[in-house]
Each structure stands twice: as structure tokens, then as C-alpha cells.
Amino acid sequence: MLVVEKLEKSFSGGDRPVPVLRGIDLTLDASRTLALTGESGSGKSTLLHLIAGLDAADGGRILIDGDDLAAMDDTRRAALRRGTVGVVFQQFNLIPSLTVAQNIAFQARLAGRNDRDWDARLTERLGLASHTHKYPEQLSGGQQQRVAIGRTLAARPKLVLADEPTGNLDEDTGEQVLDLMLELVAETGAALMMVTHSTRLAARMERRLHLERGEIRC
Amino acid sequence: MLTAGLQALLSHWWRHPFQLVTLLIGLATATALWSGVQAINAEARASYDRAASALGQTPRPRITAPDGVPLEQEHFVALRRAGWLVTPLIEGRLSTEAGSVRLVGIDPFTLPPADLPDALEGDTALDLSFLTPPGQLITSPATAERLEGADLPPRLALDGIAPGLAYADIGIAQDLMDMDGRLTALLVLDDQPLGRPPLEEVAPGLVLRPPAQGGDISRLTDSFHLNLTAFGLLSFAVGLFIVRGAIGLAFEQRRPVFRTLRALGLSTRVLLGLLLAELLVFALVAGTLGIALGWLIASLLLPDVAATLRGLYGASVEGALTLRPAWWLSGVGIAVLGTLIAATASLWQVARLPLLAPAQPRAWAMASERTMRRQAVVALALIVFAVGVGLYGAGLVGGFVMLGALLVGAALLLPLLLHVALRLGARTARTPLADWFWADTRQQVPGLSLALMALLLALAANIGVGTMVSSFRLTFTGWLDQRLASELYVSSDDEAQAAALQEWLAPRTDAVLPIWRASGEIAGAPAEIYGVADHPTYRDNWPILAALPDVWDLVARGDGILVNEQLARREDLSPGDTMALPGWETRVAGIYSDYGNPSAQVLVGLETFDTRFPEAERLDFGLRLPQGEADALARALVEEFGLPAENIVDQASLKAFSLQVFERTFTVTGALNVLTLTVAGFAILTSLMTLARMRLPQVAPVWALGLTRARLARLELLRALLLAALTAVAALPVGLLLAWVLLAVINVEAFGWRLPMHVFPADWALLGALALLAAGLAALWPARRIATIPPSELLKVFANER
């Protein structure tokens, strides 16, 4: 599903570039889960952004379903994000002017595979059935994160990338949200790669990789 | 995908309807002011075109007498017999009890059909009843209605004839104008036979004049329409500030949404396409609204414009608007163009939006000082450019370019000026609250700068145009008092009556001042030549601008003439210069002001006039009377000579009429001024209201530290008043500079005269008060919102749940 080979990325930092990722190699098969842990600044989010096609690598390559991201232009990378990859952001990134129901259906509609029954089931499972007509600002943080997860899964992506999806939530709410996400990801058969700096949450994944100064330490 | 993307974008407006209304109103108002002015201009120009299609404006060479007097009909016969292809023409103003019309007498047998106005070409109107007594007058339906009941030949109303114009057969016209055996001119047709004898041989004393370049009316009124267009543009620009503000805010608020859309798989191209489609829809909706509103404005203003054009230039414009597709299209076009101009910067930012940039709205308030400095550099460059154009540029367009550069430059400089003023203000702060107030006000400047720039432009335009109009009014009233010194003005119907009148009036008045008049051509343009008596009325009152010593003695002796300011400026004449008049050369003894007259005018001594223009009509007199005797004498004149009422005009009603024309001239500019100021007030209101929500993070901590919401609200109001006051102060020099450019550059170019500039501090104070009122009213709602906001809303700022 996902193959990352010798991935390199630097950011400009004054006089010379500061390397953030130094030759990352990893793979993730369909229906499998992977936790990416590491200290702040270790490069976890950068790696996730590169895999999501939100940023471009300086070296190495990323293959998703056999397609090389480096060979794609902006339009093709956008199409990849619409149809194949789903990202759950730490800051939710919901569309404030759309209702809960519209937010959940949104990415699936962008991908052209909106399934109302599936949306309804997801909404029910996420405990949002009584909130469908509300706007994001009327929800709590935990509820907003559930909407974000629902939006990603409604589009049935093959690969779910979650960037500290419980980072803004308290411990109990975080646990509940993660349980739900794991259940639903398993149900859709997607692969899940989750960035977290919580070892407790990482332990819930099938595989764990630790990132340190831009390199993988198993 | 497109539907989902569009829904996400449009849902913003659904959730923020006020912002949408702001945007649409801003754009609609801008379009309305622009298209309203365009509608007026289009209507007036269409009227000129119809008038120009009358023979008087046909671009054909003419044969006339050199001094502008009528020529004999025998000349026509002689020239035709000699092989010249000419057609006779009678032109003149026909006065009736139902008002006057411009009469054009034509000869349908010798006039080529192509020279007829479209309405008459190929028409069966020119039949026997047109040619044989009592003849027929062909007019527009409106003119026919106006002439109803007048003692004139039967009227035939046809669409497409210019208003105020009447066509008659040449013989009928000669009867009507009392010009038996005489003609105004002969039009020289195309394809003249070779070998015909020269004009001097066939008709000695007549001259062949080349065709006029463009119609006189359109030439004279061009400057007036340019003035209107400039105002329309200014109003449009002020309206665009609102649009720019509303679009900028909407884009800024939606930055996180744009980023999310991109992250979820919408490509930049699709996103930009959707945003452009959204803007296009808004432009079309607002443009349509604006055109309807513009139509309304134009309908309300057109009667005043028509009156002005009639009063100043004698140009007839119908008082009703016609729907013109070109006008509709230009209205929609300007709305789309305006939207694109206002949105360019925002679209550019979206195109370059980094996907991983912080998603929080940047809040305009955070605009960097670097941007402000860059803006100031552009502003200074524009001001230097304006000064350069002022020093080295020329013409009316140059004047307007200078004005535009000056206004835009001043507007761009405003944020920096406010920043500096607020920094200086901060030095006076003695309490922590005052410190916060000054600092917070400074932080608000970038967010409010567009609205404040709009206010600056509106205030400067008001001060500038107000100063110009008031200076004009003051000068004009004084000038009227000087020019209209005689208590009564009398016109006789013929020279026999004139002689009888003069004899009858002599013992009954202090003085009878003959006002003889002839038309001629001076330096290639039409001019009026007046013969005036040597009398203290002129010596004491005539508004002389520059003159040789003993100017009136020189004029009376025939050793010099007086010329009006417009002729002096056009021909670069000074007292003492030599000047050619039809048939002789003389010296310019003095220059006098002659406001409200677009043509050249010359004053010569009465004896000189008699010698040089023996053929001219001698029908008019000015009468000097003891105070209070004008009415009785006017009544006596009617009884004794049966003079119609319009032949006797008393000084007071002439002044009142002149002032009325003057006031109507500036009704349009006054109305546009008020509309522009209203638009600017609306810009402030919308900016304050839309910023109010973004203000919470700044206001909440101060509230938490112990300031009541009511006090915060009062400070909010004070802030708006302070910024408006500073803007008004900045607008004053800009407005005065604008007034100077209008008086010293634009007016001279447009009308040919220069007016002295007077200042009216009371008007500025009133305008300043109005600006404060507008800003105060605009700030009232946001202030009330702060005063009544629930504490839970303010607490959200700290809970990071907003």
C-alpha cells in the first residue's frame, strides 16, 4: 500500500538547510496499523505531510499503490488526496460554515463516492446523530474530532494518515476517539498510520516506529 | 467535486449574510454611481448626435458673409448659374409665446437626401404640404407638444428629430425669420464641377469656410461630461474600497477553509476557478442591481443635467432616459472589472497559499509595517508624478490624471500618517488604559485603512468641490452684480421700433445704453461682437481683469477693444497685443471676466461697431433707472409699444435666472458628493462590523483585567471618532489642493476662465462634524455589540474554543 524509500527533507534555517528527515524507509500494507512516535521536532508531522502529498520531498521516493508521488503534479496529488489518502488533522480543520452532516459527507462528495447509508452509519457510530444540523463551533473538541474522523472515513480512503488526532483532547475523550477510529478503520479495510508522541496510544497499533532526529529507530 | 467545493465556499456567505449584503451593496453602489453617470452622458451625447444630424452641424464647407450677417438670395442664384453646387440654408432661433426653437430652413430640391437627418431621409414628410404655404414644421413629438397653440405653421411630429429643433422649407423659414430674400449660409456640396469660376468672381465679398471640426455643442460640452465621468469614477473607486474590504475579509476568514479544501484534494486551479465563478456570480447580481439603481439616479439627476446643458451651452437634452444596450453592457462590464480589480490581490494570495501555513486567520490588523512603508513609497511616487504632471502636463485629461494621482497618492499615504499621529498621541498617555487605547487603535489602522481611505477620498472630494462651487458662487454673484448693472433690458422687434423706443425712453430714464450685437469669426472660432456706449455704467462696473491705462477712453475712441477671458486665454492675449477682427486689426485694451459663456466675446465702442457692422441688428438696450422705477416703466413699455413680456427683462429676474442655472449646474456634483460620502460612511460601518468579531481576542483580556463591557464599548466609539477626526484633518489639505487643481487647471482647460479661490472654514467644520457623525453612527452597532456580548463569548477566547 505504502512504500517510503530513502526519504530526505530539509528546511532552510539561516545560512544552511536543516535536515529534518534523513533517509527514511518504511512500508505499510493494506488493513494494517502503524504508529509513528518521536519527540517534538523529530520530523513525524513532516513525514506525514510528505506522504499525504501536502509537501514535496528533497530526495527518496514515496509510492502509494505503486504510484510515485514525486512524478505527480499538483492536480494529480490533489486527486490522490481526494480519493486514496485521508488525513485526520490535529486541529480538526472542519469547514465552519458547513453542518456536521455536510462536513462528514464533504470529502466523499469531493471524491465522487458519496454513500448516504454509510454516512448515516458513520454518524451513528460516532455518536453524532443528534448533532447533524449543528455547526462545528457548536460542538466540543471531542465531537469536532469525531466529525473530522467521520469526514475522512466517509470517503473510504485506502490509507488513513492521522496527525496526533487526539492531541487536543483530554485523556478519556482521546481514548474513546481512538477506539472508534480503530474500529472504523478496520471496518473499511484501510491502512492507518498515526503520528503520536504518546507511547500509550502507540501501543494500540500493530506496529510502531520511533523517529529520532530524522531517522527511524525501531 | 465541483458541487461540493462550491457548496463549501458558498456556505460561508450563508453563515455570514451581512458580509454578503455588504459586498453586494458595495459593488451595486459603485456600479450604480458609475452607470448612472454613464447613462446621463449617453443620453446627452445621443441628443447631441441627433442635433448634429441637423444641417447646422453637417460637416460641409459653407459660404457666408464675412461678418456673420445674412447673405442675399441672389448669391445663391448666381452661384448655381455659375455651376457651383450649393444649397441654401436658414438657421436661427425662432421665438414664440410657447418658447423658442432652433429653426432650420432647407431646400429639399438641392439638398442631397444623405444630408437630411435619418428621420427625414426617404420619408414622405417632405411633400407638397411641406413646400407650399402655410408650410409645415417638422419637429420631435416633445417639441411639437411644447409648441401646441403657438401661431406657427402646422407641426408634423417625427421620432428621431433632435429636441428643440424644427425643419421648414427655405421659403417658409424666410417668412418665419423675417428674412425675405436673405439666407444664413450656402452649403457647398460634394463633386463640384471642374472649371467653375472662383467664388470671388461670382459672389464678391462672400467667404468659403471649411467644415467645422466636430459639432460645436459636443465640443463645448465635452468638458462637462468629462467632469461628470471623473466624478463617476471617483464614486466608483470609493465603492470599490468597500468591495475590496468585503472580499479581503471574506478571503481572510476563509483561509483555513481554502487550506482544508486543498488538503482534502481540491487543486489550486479548481479552487481558483470556483472562487472566480463565485465572484462572477456576485458581480453579475450586484451589477444588475447597480444598473437598476444607476437608472434611478440618472432619472433623478437628468433633468438637472439637461437644464445645465441648456443653460450653459444651449444644448437640448431630452428629460427622459432611453434604455441603451451599450449602457447595460458597460454597467455589467464595470461591475465585473471592479470585482476582479478588488479581488486580484486576494486571488493572488490564494494561488500562492502554502498548504502548510498556519491556518488561523491572519487578521488584517497584523499587516506588517513593511507593507505600510512600501505603500507610502508608492504614495510619494504618485504625488511626485502628480506634481510633475501639474508642472509639465497640459490639457483637461492631464488635469484629471494629476487629480487621480494626487488622490490615490494621498489615500495610500493615509495609513502611515495615522500611524505616526497615533504614535505621537501615545506619548501623551499617562495611564495604562490610555497606553492600551493608543496601541490598540494603532493596531486597528491596517484593518480599517481601506474604509478610512474611502472616507479620505470622499471628504477631500467634498472639500475640493465644495470650495470650487462656493468660490464660483461668490465670484459669480459679484460678477453678476457688475455685469448686470442696468435695471431693465429691452429688446425691440425691428429697427424702426428700436428707434421709436430710444426716442420714447430718453426722457424717462437716466440713460439708454444701446447693446448692439453681431456674430463673426475670430481666430477661426465663432465669436460675439458687442457694441457698447461710453457710459459710467461700464466704466464703474465692468469686471475688468487686466487693462491698459484709460481703457474705456481707448475703447470709446476706437483705439482698442475689450476681450473676454476665454478668448484671451485661448489666443494668449494680453493688454496691448494686436488682434485681427473681421475686416480690421485693432489692439486689445483690456480683458474682462465672462463666466458662464463658452464662446469668445469682444466689446467695441459704439461708433466703431456702427462703422464695422452696418448690417448688424440694433435691437437691444440696457436702461438705467432710478431705484424702484423698473416695474412701472416695464408696464408702460408693454402698454405703449405692445412689447411681449419676454422682450423686457428686469435685472433682478435676470440675476435670479442666472443663479438658477448656476445652482442647477452644481446640483449633480452636489448629489454625487453626498452619495460618495454616504458610500464612505457605509465602508466604515462594514469594516467596523466585520472586524468586531475579530476584535474579541484583543478586547477579552482587557475585560478580564477589570474593564467593564460598557467602558470598552465607549472606548470603541471613541476610537472610531478619533480615526475619523484624524482622517478629516488629513483630508483638508488634500481637498484644498483638489480645489486648487479644479479652479486653476481643470476649469481653465474646460471653460476657459480661472476663478479666484476662496476658503470657507465654516464648511470644513460642518463637513468634519458630518464625518464624525458618520463614523460615530458606523461605530454604534459594534460598540453596542461589545457592551452586550455575553461573558461566555469572551471566555471562549481563553478556552481556545473559538
Side-chain angles (χ1 to χ4, degrees):
Chain A
M1 175 68 233
L2 170 68
V3 178
V4 176
E5 291 175 351
K6 302 190 183 342
L7 200 65
E8 309 251 350
K9 179 72 182 174
S10 302
F11 289 120
S12 56
D15 298 342
R16 51 185 180 176
V18 178
V20 179
L21 298 176
R22 307 160 190 253
I24 302 288
D25 291 302
L26 68 85
T27 56
L28 180 62
D29 294 333
S31 307
R32 312 302 295 192
T33 61
L34 167 70
L36 196 61
T37 59
E39 300 296 316
S40 294
S42 59
K44 311 186 291 294
S45 291
T46 304
L47 177 57
L48 190 122
H49 290 154
L50 292 177
I51 295 170
L54 294 169
D55 203 353
D58 297 334
R61 58 182 197 154
I62 301 167
L63 301 173
I64 295 177
D65 256 358
D67 293 327
D68 188 351
L69 250 63
M72 295 182 186
D73 60 8
D74 177 67
T75 310
R76 280 189 66 200
R77 278 207 299 270
L80 179 90
R81 288 197 298 275
R82 274 200 307 275
T84 310
V85 180
V87 187
V88 180
F89 297 97
Q90 183 181 359
Q91 297 289 349
F92 324 141
N93 285 357
L94 299 178
I95 295 172
S97 49
L98 295 182
T99 62
V100 166
Q102 288 169 329
N103 262 294
I104 287 177
F106 189 73
Q107 190 164 8
R109 289 181 65 203
L110 278 185
R113 54 169 95 108
N114 191 22
D115 179 345
R116 287 182 184 212
D117 292 341
W118 173 232
D119 288 352
R121 279 202 347 252
L122 266 177
T123 310
E124 188 69 40
R125 296 281 302 278
L126 289 163
L128 295 167
S130 57
H131 302 290
T132 49
H133 294 295
K134 287 184 179 169
Y135 287 91
E137 64 179 20
Q138 297 169 300
L139 302 178
S140 69
Q143 287 169 329
Q144 288 190 48
Q145 190 56 294
R146 286 185 220 183
V147 177
I149 291 167
R151 179 177 67 188
T152 304
L153 295 178
R156 295 177 185 273
K158 290 181 178 172
L159 174 63
V160 175
L161 301 170
D163 189 3
E164 305 207 29
T166 59
N168 270 336
L169 308 177
D170 62 69
E171 204 166 294
D172 285 348
T173 313
E175 284 284 352
Q176 286 170 22
V177 167
L178 186 63
D179 286 344
L180 206 53
M181 188 162 73
L182 286 171
E183 256 178 62
L184 291 168
V185 164
E187 212 171 297
T188 57
L192 169 67
M193 177 170 158
M194 183 176 80
V195 164
T196 179
H197 50 236
S198 161
T199 46
R200 191 170 51 80
L201 293 180
R204 309 276 305 273
M205 303 288 130
E206 292 167 344
R207 276 173 65 206
R208 270 158 291 161
L209 291 176
H210 186 74
L211 212 54
E212 199 176 301
R213 289 187 205 143
E215 291 177 353
I216 300 264
R217 310 256 187 250
C218 293
Chain B
M1 175 178 71
L2 292 181
T3 325
L6 205 56
Q7 186 198 21
L9 292 176
L10 293 179
S11 62
H12 170 84
W13 303 105
W14 184 252
R15 293 279 287 158
H16 299 90
F18 177 75
Q19 230 176 70
L20 178 62
V21 170
T22 305
L23 177 65
L24 293 180
I25 288 182
L27 195 51
T29 319
T31 311
L33 290 172
W34 166 262
S35 60
V37 166
Q38 290 310 307
I40 291 170
N41 282 347
E43 192 59 48
R45 291 212 168 97
S47 290
Y48 307 152
D49 287 346
R50 283 198 295 273
S53 70
L55 300 172
Q57 302 285 321
T58 306
R60 283 195 179 285
R62 287 171 168 225
I63 295 173
T64 62
D67 48 6
V69 297
L71 49 91
E72 298 302 321
Q73 194 166 320
E74 282 83 53
H75 288 132
F76 166 61
V77 179
L79 281 163
R80 288 293 292 201
R81 281 185 183 153
W84 280 73
L85 294 177
V86 289
T87 183
L89 181 73
I90 293 258
E91 268 184 320
R93 195 145 279 280
L94 180 62
S95 296
T96 73
E97 60 271 29
S100 67
V101 285
R102 185 174 149 220
L103 181 70
V104 178
I106 55 170
D107 175 22
F109 298 110
T110 52
L111 184 74
D115 277 20
L116 288 166
D118 292 347
L120 289 176
E121 202 179 341
D123 200 286
T124 51
L126 307 180
D127 56 10
L128 211 57
S129 52
F130 181 79
L131 299 168
T132 53
Q136 206 167 40
L137 287 186
I138 300 178
T139 68
S140 70
T143 309
E145 198 178 316
R146 185 159 62 82
L147 294 178
E148 216 161 273
D151 184 20
L152 289 170
R155 268 76 69 193
L156 174 66
L158 286 181
D159 285 326
I161 303 282
L165 195 66
Y167 292 94
D169 174 66
I170 193 91
I172 308 292
Q174 280 176 324
D175 284 347
L176 289 170
M177 300 293 289
D178 205 11
M179 286 176 67
D180 281 346
R182 289 180 298 162
L183 301 167
T184 310
L186 296 170
L187 296 182
V188 181
L189 308 181
D190 300 330
D191 304 323
Q192 295 287 334
L194 294 170
R196 65 193 194 286
L199 180 67
E200 306 82 65
E201 201 176 287
V202 189
L206 296 190
V207 288
L208 180 65
R209 297 185 193 284
Q213 293 301 307
D216 279 352
I217 290 173
S218 64
R219 178 172 60 83
L220 292 173
T221 51
D222 266 357
S223 56
F224 180 79
H225 292 297
L226 189 60
N227 269 306
L228 275 188
T229 306
F231 254 95
L233 259 180
L234 179 67
S235 310
F236 182 70
V238 171
L240 279 195
F241 276 99
I242 302 180
V243 182
R244 171 77 190 92
I247 290 179
L249 181 72
F251 272 51
E252 201 60 49
Q253 285 180 337
R254 289 191 294 180
R255 275 170 70 91
V257 175
F258 298 155
R259 199 193 84 147
T260 302
L261 288 175
R262 294 274 288 106
L264 295 181
L266 215 61
S267 66
T268 310
R269 209 178 331 156
V270 173
L271 181 60
L272 283 175
L274 290 175
L275 285 170
L276 268 174
E278 176 193 79
L279 289 171
L280 194 66
V281 170
F282 291 161
L284 292 176
V285 171
T288 310
L289 272 175
I291 288 167
L293 204 60
W295 178 262
L296 189 71
I297 292 172
S299 312
L300 292 173
L301 295 182
L302 190 61
D304 281 320
V305 173
T308 302
L309 290 167
R310 202 167 40 245
L312 275 180
Y313 307 106
S316 288
V317 174
E318 278 169 276
L321 281 177
T322 315
L323 207 57
R324 291 167 209 290
W327 175 72
W328 270 95
L329 283 176
S330 80
V332 172
I334 200 82
V336 172
L337 185 71
T339 311
L340 288 178
I341 290 171
T344 303
S346 299
L347 286 170
W348 178 249
Q349 278 174 2
V350 172
R352 296 170 55 90
L353 179 76
L355 255 175
L356 299 171
Q360 290 302 314
R362 278 183 311 146
W364 307 346
M366 296 300 151
S368 67
E369 283 192 23
R370 202 177 54 183
T371 308
M372 198 160 56
R373 276 202 297 273
R374 209 179 298 150
Q375 203 169 296
V377 169
V378 176
L380 288 173
L382 278 170
I383 290 168
V384 168
F385 173 72
V387 172
V389 174
L391 290 175
Y392 304 108
L396 205 52
V397 175
F400 278 114
V401 167
M402 177 183 171
L403 266 191
L406 186 72
L407 285 174
V408 176
L412 288 176
L413 200 58
L414 181 69
L416 185 69
L417 291 177
L418 290 175
H419 194 77
V420 171
L422 292 171
R423 268 199 184 285
L424 290 175
R427 290 190 189 169
T428 64
R430 294 285 174 269
T431 63
L433 185 62
D435 275 336
W436 173 77
F437 175 79
W438 287 106
D440 192 53
T441 306
R442 209 167 56 237
Q443 206 189 16
Q444 292 301 299
V445 170
L448 285 170
S449 63
L450 282 174
L452 292 172
M453 285 181 200
L455 181 67
L456 177 98
L457 288 180
L459 287 174
N462 266 274
I463 293 171
V465 176
T467 304
M468 180 191 78
V469 174
S470 299
S471 296
F472 202 169
R473 186 181 287 117
L474 202 67
T475 313
F476 189 66
T477 333
W479 173 80
L480 271 183
D481 288 339
Q482 292 173 323
R483 275 296 285 267
L484 301 177
S486 296
E487 283 72 20
L488 215 55
Y489 292 86
V490 181
S491 296
S492 50
D493 288 335
D494 50 54
E495 298 213 355
Q497 192 183 46
L501 268 173
Q502 210 165 356
E503 197 178 319
W504 187 84
L505 285 167
R508 291 172 174 83
T509 55
D510 289 346
V512 179
L513 305 172
I515 306 171
W516 304 154
R517 189 166 66 114
S519 298
E521 205 169 81
I522 297 177
E528 289 169 330
I529 300 145
Y530 281 84
V532 293
D534 180 17
H535 192 269
T537 300
Y538 297 109
R539 288 178 178 262
D540 298 345
N541 294 304
W542 204 252
I544 299 284
L545 294 173
L548 298 174
D550 304 321
V551 54
W552 289 105
D553 293 337
L554 292 173
V555 173
R557 285 203 307 268
D559 288 339
I561 57 163
L562 289 169
V563 299
N564 67 356
E565 186 187 356
Q566 11 312 42
L567 176 59
R569 283 190 184 277
R570 202 182 70 206
E571 297 301 318
D572 197 18
L573 295 170
S574 304
D577 288 354
T578 308
M579 177 174 184
L581 288 177
W584 95 102
E585 238 184 35
T586 184
R587 182 163 55 137
V588 176
I591 297 163
Y592 61 93
S593 58
D594 188 20
Y595 307 123
N597 173 19
S599 310
Q601 199 181 76
V602 167
L603 246 60
V604 303
L606 210 53
E607 281 179 26
T608 314
F609 187 88
D610 271 335
T611 319
R612 298 288 174 186
F613 303 97
E615 295 287 316
E617 287 181 333
R618 288 159 167 74
L619 305 176
D620 302 332
F621 306 96
L623 308 181
R624 298 309 313 263
L625 302 166
Q627 211 168 10
E629 288 186 11
D631 279 353
L633 188 71
R635 276 196 302 276
L637 274 169
V638 174
E639 281 166 20
E640 191 72 24
F641 291 90
L643 283 178
E646 65 263 23
N647 280 26
I648 306 166
V649 182
D650 67 281
Q651 181 204 69
S653 46
L654 199 56
K655 275 184 189 167
F657 173 75
S658 303
L659 282 173
Q660 190 193 351
V661 169
F662 172 85
E663 294 299 346
R664 292 195 83 164
T665 304
F666 292 104
T667 306
V668 184
T669 38
L672 287 174
N673 251 343
V674 171
L675 284 172
T676 312
L677 196 60
T678 313
V679 169
F682 186 70
I684 298 179
L685 170 74
T686 54
S687 295
L688 284 175
M689 285 178 84
T690 43
L691 278 177
R693 195 170 173 74
M694 294 165 130
R695 296 265 305 130
L696 286 188
Q698 278 110 54
V699 171
V702 190
W703 166 76
L705 291 173
L707 229 63
T708 63
R709 285 171 294 163
R711 191 152 182 212
L712 281 169
R714 283 198 295 277
L715 287 173
E716 206 67 14
L717 202 59
L718 185 64
R719 177 176 295 112
L721 293 176
L722 175 70
L723 288 173
L726 289 173
T727 305
V729 170
L732 185 60
V734 182
L736 290 177
L737 213 53
L738 175 66
W740 181 83
V741 175
L742 284 171
L743 289 167
V745 181
I746 305 285
N747 259 337
V748 176
E749 294 291 346
F751 302 110
W753 62 73
R754 182 173 178 165
L755 291 161
M757 183 165 151
H758 301 276
V759 289
F760 302 89
D763 288 357
W764 308 339
L766 181 69
L767 196 63
L770 273 176
L772 290 182
L773 183 71
L777 284 175
L780 220 51
W781 191 89
R784 190 183 159 275
R785 192 172 175 275
I786 286 184
T788 56
I789 192 168
S792 57
E793 278 288 310
L794 289 164
L795 283 171
K796 279 185 182 174
V797 171
F798 309 112
N800 197 25
E801 285 183 6
R802 293 180 67 250

